[in-house]
Amino acid sequence: MDRINRLVLGLCCVLFGLQARAQQTTIATSLPYGETLEFNVELADGQDSVYVDWGDGQRKSYKDAKQYWLTDTWVHGKLLGDTITMYGGIKRIDIDHDSVTVLQFANQPNLKKVYASHNKLTNDGLDLSGCPNVEILDLANNNILNLNLLQFGSLQSFTVNHNPEFNTAADIVKIRKSTKSHVSTSLK
């Protein structure tokens, strides 16, 4: 019996470890339930689809658009709860003009480009710690106050204009000094 308990405990640890390393993107929006949310993603190499839970606990599959000679996978669905969760690795996300209030990435090392302008993002709803290799980050027209840009060693372009209270110019200077690349910025 003790052997069976150890086996079950070992399997639970393995499953928990796999779940903890899942590639996941969490999104919330101020759009009302029943409205349609649309955005585009480019899947990470080796991914043939992503799965999206629109808030009802069910996962809907979105296949890689490259099979149709397109580069983007169009993700669209009706909001059925407070939080939308997308499972699977991505290289790029374009989620502009969607009233997004939460955008959080978990274990997305292949994510290079984040376009999330014209939303309602604040520091509380934005978590970029799961995408450390981001190269292009567009957060224009949101409500971001500050951002630790030093965590992004590959950052090449950062757009944050029209965030009324934004104050991270010192970080941009530090990045330019600490990396060989020139970070292009827009801070209007």
Side-chain angles (χ1 to χ4, degrees):
M1 187 67 167
D2 191 36
R3 186 175 172 187
I4 292 173
N5 286 341
R6 283 185 288 173
L7 179 62
V8 169
L9 181 61
L11 286 172
C12 287
C13 288
V14 168
L15 291 174
F16 179 74
L18 290 175
Q19 181 67 19
R21 289 190 299 265
Q23 294 177 315
Q24 184 173 312
T25 303
T26 303
I27 303 164
T29 179
S30 62
L31 295 173
Y33 292 171
E35 288 287 317
T36 299
L37 179 69
E38 301 177 9
F39 56 95
N40 293 304
V41 296
E42 182 179 352
L43 303 186
D45 295 337
Q47 292 277 154
D48 64 349
S49 59
V50 291
Y51 299 89
V52 178
D53 173 356
W54 291 99
D56 62 350
Q58 304 295 315
R59 293 184 185 186
K60 182 177 178 184
S61 174
Y62 293 86
K63 296 287 183 191
D64 189 359
K66 288 179 185 165
Q67 63 185 333
Y68 307 112
W69 299 327
L70 302 171
T71 58
D72 296 340
T73 298
W74 179 46
V75 179
H76 58 285
K78 289 191 179 196
L79 300 172
L80 302 173
D82 292 334
T83 305
I84 301 107
T85 306
M86 180 173 58
Y87 302 91
I90 57 176
K91 292 188 337 188
R92 186 179 63 75
I93 185 167
D94 185 342
I95 190 159
D96 296 330
H97 298 277
D98 282 319
S99 298
V100 172
T101 58
V102 172
L103 185 60
Q104 301 172 341
F105 301 101
N107 194 26
Q108 293 286 358
N110 298 310
L111 184 55
K112 304 288 187 202
K113 300 174 184 177
V114 176
Y115 299 99
S117 68
H118 295 87
N119 282 301
K120 298 179 179 180
L121 287 167
T122 65
N123 288 66
D124 293 334
L126 183 65
D127 182 359
L128 301 168
S129 62
C131 58
N133 301 314
V134 72
E135 296 172 354
I136 297 172
L137 182 57
D138 183 354
L139 299 172
N141 293 283
N142 279 288
N143 295 307
I144 306 295
L145 298 177
N146 54 41
L147 200 57
N148 179 4
L149 300 174
L150 295 175
Q151 65 184 325
F152 305 113
S154 301
L155 190 63
Q156 297 171 8
S157 177
F158 175 62
T159 305
V160 70
N161 53 313
H162 302 289
N163 279 270
E165 305 286 326
F166 188 76
N167 183 18
T168 307
D171 285 343
I172 294 169
V173 171
K174 288 177 191 173
I175 290 172
R176 286 182 174 160
K177 288 180 179 178
S178 67
T179 63
K180 303 272 188 231
S181 64
H182 297 283
V183 177
S184 168
T185 61
S186 179
L187 295 172
K188 292 180 185 176

